Amino acid sequence: MTDTLPHRPESPDRPGRPAEDRRHMIRRRTLTLIIIVLLIGVPAGYLVISANQSRDSGRDKEAKYAATGLTEGWPSKLQRRIYEVPVPVPSDEVAYYETNNWKTSRLYVQFETTGAGLDAFLAGVGVGREDLERGKIVISERDQRVTGWDLGGSGPWWGLVHEQENPAPTQDIVVDLNNPDYPMVYVVSRTVP
C-alpha cells in the first residue's frame, strides 16, 4: 500500500496564472532566440574574424621572412633607425632586404631620389657629397650577389664607407650619378649584435 501525499489546495487569495496566449508565446520565443544568437553568435563571429586576421598576419610575416632578395617597399622605421639608413622623401624604386645571423646583421637598401634627397640622405648618415669618391664601388661582390645588384656596369659610380664604432652600424654607400637629377643609391648597413 502506498501513501499519497495530500495536494495542497490553491489559495483563494492567489489566482492561478492565466493561460499564455499564442501571440505572447511567439514574442517570448523570438526574444529568447535573439538573446541566444547575441550570446553565442556574436562571440563566435568575432572569433572567426580574429582567426582570419591572425592567419593573414602570419602569412604576411612568413612571406617577409622567407624573402631571399630585395623586397619592393620601404624598410620599417625601426629598421631605418637601427641601421641608420634615412631614406629621403621623395624616393622611388625603394627596395630592401635584411639578413641576421649570430655574427653580423645587414640591411640592404636601394632607392632613387633627387639631388636634394641625396644631400639629405648623406647628411642624415653624417657625411657629405665631398666624401664620395669617383669610381669607388665599396659594396662587395658577395653583397651584390645577395641583392642581385650589378654595380660594374655604366656609371659614373661614386662610393664611400662610413665606419663607426660598435654598436653603431657601418654603411657602404654607392651612388650612380648617371642622371645627376635622379641619382640611384645603394646602401649596405651592417652592425654586429
Side-chain angles (χ1 to χ4, degrees):
M1 177 186 296
T2 60
D3 293 331
T4 61
L5 295 174
H7 289 283
R8 197 167 115 201
E10 291 289 323
S11 167
D13 297 336
R14 278 185 26 190
R17 286 182 102 182
E20 184 176 37
D21 66 347
R22 182 166 172 73
R23 187 183 322 147
H24 187 265
M25 179 190 66
I26 292 172
R27 191 179 313 145
R28 182 177 49 82
R29 287 183 179 175
T30 303
L31 184 62
T32 302
L33 180 64
I34 290 171
I35 290 171
I36 289 171
V37 166
L38 290 175
L39 288 174
I40 296 173
V42 171
Y46 174 77
L47 287 174
V48 168
I49 291 169
S50 178
N52 285 335
Q53 288 174 342
S54 178
R55 184 176 60 225
D56 291 345
S57 173
R59 287 180 182 154
D60 293 344
K61 287 179 183 172
E62 180 183 4
K64 177 181 175 183
Y65 293 113
T68 56
L70 290 174
T71 302
E72 187 176 323
W74 289 61
S76 71
K77 287 182 181 180
L78 180 64
Q79 288 171 314
R80 286 181 272 161
R81 186 170 49 92
I82 290 172
Y83 291 99
E84 297 179 10
V85 180
V87 179
V89 174
S91 289
D92 287 325
E93 300 183 40
V94 180
Y96 72 98
Y97 178 57
E98 182 180 17
T99 61
N100 297 297
N101 61 39
W102 64 275
K103 193 174 178 183
T104 305
S105 295
R106 288 181 177 85
L107 179 67
Y108 303 86
V109 182
Q110 74 174 37
F111 57 90
E112 180 184 75
T113 188
T114 61
L118 174 60
D119 292 333
F121 165 73
L122 293 172
V125 171
V127 296
R129 276 196 197 222
E130 65 277 359
D131 296 313
L132 292 170
E133 296 181 41
R134 185 180 180 102
K136 189 168 184 182
I137 298 178
V138 296
I139 296 177
S140 71
E141 292 291 328
R142 176 206 170 274
D143 288 336
Q144 289 183 47
R145 277 193 311 275
V146 166
T147 58
W149 293 335
D150 180 15
L151 304 180
S154 67
W157 299 100
W158 295 74
L160 70 90
V161 175
H162 181 236
E163 291 190 46
Q164 302 181 86
E165 287 188 35
N166 286 337
T170 295
Q171 293 104 355
D172 299 334
I173 302 169
V174 174
V175 181
D176 180 358
L177 286 171
N178 188 32
N179 182 350
D181 294 331
Y182 295 100
M184 190 72 180
V185 180
Y186 303 90
V187 183
V188 178
S189 182
R190 63 187 178 279
T191 184
V192 178

